[in-house]
Amino acid sequence: MSLYPFVKAIVKVYYKIMFKVTVVGKENVPSHGNGVLCCNHISNYDPLTMAVYLDRLPRFIAKKELFQNKILGALLRNLQAFPVDRQATMDMKAFKTAVSVLKGGEMLGIFAEGTRVKEGEEKAAKAGVAMFALKGDAPIIPVAISGKYKFRKEVRIEFGEPLTLEEYRGERINTAMMEEITEKIMGKVQEMKVDL
């Protein structure tokens, strides 16, 4: 039995007490079918923020270190997250799982920067998001989270219009293509971010 409905209800109550959350563009997330939710990463709260304000649970890729904690690892697995080894050049198990998720018609949640990025910092996004979307034949939905997770402060999450990548379909996938797609997606994410 999934804990998702229970966790979602509890987290929403917690968020209502702690933060002032604004959700924009939720209609851009398909109600069915696959898609890659590609988000910036400012806090460990981000996966919860994305998950509890959607009507369907994305399958998140999370760093393997989080699964080493027995309680957190059990919760993550129950919420259908799966681990990735960030030190590996290509974690084939995580890659195959991600593509399988998309081919199965589910949503994949990914933080392309690979780690939390503080305000004012910049970090190059990893091109895996493009590979997953191309191999899984899925659109990419850019997601931007803005604000600070501090008591009664504003937090804003915006879901952008899906990018279908149609112009790249059928082309040979190479590093330049993946970097171009990733740059385009993260550019959209940056455009949607706001100062709060």
Side-chain angles (χ1 to χ4, degrees):
M1 188 176 107
S2 173
L3 292 176
Y4 179 51
F6 175 74
V7 171
K8 185 174 177 177
I10 294 296
V11 173
K12 272 194 170 181
V13 170
Y14 174 77
Y15 270 41
K16 194 164 188 178
I17 295 168
M18 293 296 295
F19 316 120
K20 298 177 181 177
V21 180
T22 302
V23 182
V24 179
K26 185 176 161 183
E27 68 278 3
N28 288 321
V29 180
S31 59
H32 61 277
N34 67 7
V36 179
L37 294 160
C38 180
C39 189
N40 62 312
H41 199 10
I42 59 175
S43 166
N44 285 333
Y45 279 109
D46 295 336
L48 287 174
T49 304
M50 198 191 300
V52 300
Y53 291 103
L54 290 177
D55 297 325
R56 52 192 299 212
L57 176 63
R59 296 282 305 277
F60 285 104
I61 303 177
K63 61 183 180 181
K64 69 174 186 178
E65 291 82 1
L66 295 177
F67 291 83
Q68 291 168 0
N69 179 300
K70 287 186 178 180
I71 296 173
L72 180 57
L75 178 60
L76 287 169
R77 287 189 182 89
N78 194 276
L79 294 176
Q80 300 182 63
F82 59 94
V84 62
D85 183 351
R86 296 183 302 169
Q87 305 305 315
T89 304
M90 173 63 84
D91 182 338
M92 287 307 299
K93 186 176 180 182
F95 172 74
K96 288 177 180 177
T97 302
V99 173
S100 176
V101 163
L102 294 171
K103 286 188 176 292
E106 296 182 85
M107 299 293 296
L108 181 70
I110 187 169
F111 298 93
E113 292 153 324
T115 187
R116 284 169 290 159
V117 180
K118 294 179 182 177
E119 191 173 345
E121 286 184 343
E122 287 188 12
K123 187 169 180 64
K126 298 186 178 182
V129 60
M131 177 69 86
F132 297 149
L134 290 168
K135 288 290 188 181
D137 195 23
I140 300 178
I141 298 103
V143 185
I145 297 178
S146 307
K148 292 184 175 69
Y149 291 98
K150 293 185 177 178
F151 185 65
R152 303 313 297 158
K153 295 293 184 182
E154 291 184 60
V155 175
R156 183 180 189 271
I157 179 167
E158 180 171 353
F159 299 93
E161 293 184 8
L163 300 170
T164 62
L165 309 183
E166 283 303 320
E167 66 268 37
Y168 301 99
R169 305 288 180 198
E171 298 289 325
R172 182 174 174 274
I173 300 173
N174 55 43
T175 302
M177 178 194 289
M178 291 194 296
E179 288 177 350
E180 181 181 317
I181 293 169
T182 304
E183 191 174 314
K184 187 182 293 187
I185 298 300
M186 296 312 292
K188 291 284 185 185
V189 172
Q190 288 300 319
E191 284 175 17
M192 293 189 299
K193 285 175 65 179
V194 296
D195 291 325
L196 293 175

